[in-house]
């Protein structure tokens, strides 16, 4: 994991949206709410599979401003990337979507 990082953070794990409900903004609504809660910690973290790849999740997180902190292999067939999004009080403002 990431060494030397003792600051608190909010960690979101295992978010899954049923295929029939995808592309309706549900994940964005969830992340908006969780990021607002995480502003008190200054950052939010999560993991995404890179082996096997989860391209949609990686693109979603990149578009929201998450960046890679570390990668690690959790099993012989699974590698994940630890992502972080720095947050501030100004980031808690509602986002406008069109």
């Amino acid at each position: 994991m990431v060494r030397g990082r003792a600051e608190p953070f909010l960690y979101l794990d295992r978010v899954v949206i049923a295929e029939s409900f995808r592309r309706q903004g549900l994940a964005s609504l969830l992340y908006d709410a969780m990021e607002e809660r995480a502003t008190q910690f200054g950052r939010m973290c999560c993991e995404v599979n890179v082996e096997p790849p989860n391209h949609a999740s990686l693109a979603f997180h990149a578009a929201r401003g998450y960046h890679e902190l570390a990668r690690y292999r959790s099993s012989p067939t699974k590698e994940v990337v630890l992502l972080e999004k720095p947050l501030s009080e100004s980031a808690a403002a509602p986002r406008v979507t069109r």
Side-chain angles (χ1 to χ4, degrees):
M1 298 299 288
V2 179
R3 298 185 197 289
R5 297 291 302 254
E7 306 92 33
F9 58 90
L10 188 140
Y11 178 82
L12 188 59
D13 192 17
R14 303 198 189 251
V15 174
V16 178
I17 305 295
E19 195 167 331
S20 60
F21 289 96
R22 291 181 188 162
R23 308 297 305 162
Q24 297 180 34
L26 297 174
S28 292
L29 286 172
L30 173 64
Y31 270 73
D32 287 346
M34 296 306 296
E35 289 170 3
E36 184 176 341
R37 295 286 302 237
T39 57
Q40 64 185 308
F41 303 113
R43 65 186 174 138
M44 189 164 114
C45 298
C46 62
E47 292 177 0
V48 175
N49 290 348
V50 290
E51 190 180 312
N54 188 337
H55 300 295
S57 184
L58 291 168
F60 172 82
H61 287 90
R64 292 190 68 88
Y66 286 81
H67 64 272
E68 182 175 331
L69 286 178
R71 289 179 182 234
Y72 65 95
R73 186 162 295 283
S74 57
S75 75
T77 59
K78 184 177 177 186
E79 182 179 0
V80 298
V81 61
L82 177 62
L83 302 173
E84 174 191 56
K85 180 178 182 179
L87 300 168
S88 65
E89 289 299 323
S90 62
R95 294 165 32 138
V96 177
T97 57
R98 293 184 179 149

